[in-house]
Each structure stands twice: as C-alpha cells, then as structure tokens.
Amino acid sequence: MMNEKKKYIDIDSVVGNLDEVTVKDLRKQAGMSRKDFCNSFEIPYRTLQSWELGEREMSDFSKQLLAYVIKTSELVENYKRNLEKQVEGEQDGEKKE
C-alpha cells in the first residue's frame, strides 16, 4: 500500500473574503451576461436574477464554490496565455538564428 498524502485546497486562500462580494460581482468578474452565466453554471435565470436583485440570497457555500470555479478558470486561462507566449517567443528565437 502506497503512503500517499492527501492534499487539501483552502478555498479561502484562492477566493479571498467574499463578505462584500455579490453574485453580480462574480458574474461580471467572469465577464458573462446573465444568460451565459446561467447556461455555464446551470442556474435558472430567474434564480440568478433574484440573487442579483437582492430578493433571495445565495448560500455562503455556493458563493464560495462559484467564486472558486471562476477564479481557477481565470488562473488556467492566464497559464495557457503565458504558455502560448513562451512558445511563440521560443519559436521567434529559433527564426532569428
């Protein structure tokens, strides 16, 4: 049996303090319209609308999870962009020689 250490991710360290963050803030951070946001996260449109209008409140856990998914998606996209730039730079270096 292998001695594997379990790794845990501290969501707070990734998303920060969400006390003052609204669902609308998260949607705008993701750069999505309401319709796109609902489709991406399988949230009924009316539910999102009522959260944004303050008629209902999203649970803290759901807000943390949503913020985590958005933040990690941003990190992955930034990583991909940086990797592409690095590869392009290496290719340009090869062409100059």
Side-chain angles (χ1 to χ4, degrees):
M1 191 168 162
M2 297 179 101
N3 184 11
E4 294 183 22
K5 291 185 179 180
K6 292 184 180 182
K7 295 183 181 180
Y8 296 95
I9 297 173
D10 178 17
I11 291 179
D12 291 338
S13 68
V14 176
V15 299
N17 186 351
L18 296 175
D19 290 341
E20 302 297 320
V21 177
T22 66
V23 176
K24 188 173 185 176
D25 295 334
L26 293 174
R27 179 177 61 80
K28 290 189 178 234
Q29 180 182 353
M32 296 180 169
S33 67
R34 280 184 178 168
K35 183 178 179 182
D36 291 338
F37 195 81
C38 290
N39 289 337
S40 294
F41 296 105
E42 297 182 12
I43 298 170
Y45 186 87
R46 182 66 183 115
T47 300
L48 177 64
Q49 189 177 39
S50 57
W51 285 334
E52 289 189 358
L53 295 174
E55 298 169 353
R56 293 175 61 191
E57 188 154 334
M58 178 184 253
S59 73
D60 290 339
F61 176 76
S62 296
K63 192 191 307 186
Q64 276 188 318
L65 188 57
L66 189 57
Y68 179 78
V69 169
I70 292 168
K71 184 66 174 178
T72 54
S73 296
E74 288 175 359
L75 294 172
V76 168
E77 287 303 314
N78 288 337
Y79 174 77
K80 286 180 182 178
R81 271 188 242 113
N82 289 336
L83 190 59
E84 288 171 1
K85 286 179 185 177
Q86 183 180 358
V87 168
E88 288 172 5
E90 289 173 1
Q91 290 174 349
D92 288 344
E94 291 173 6
K95 291 178 186 176
K96 290 180 183 178
E97 291 178 3

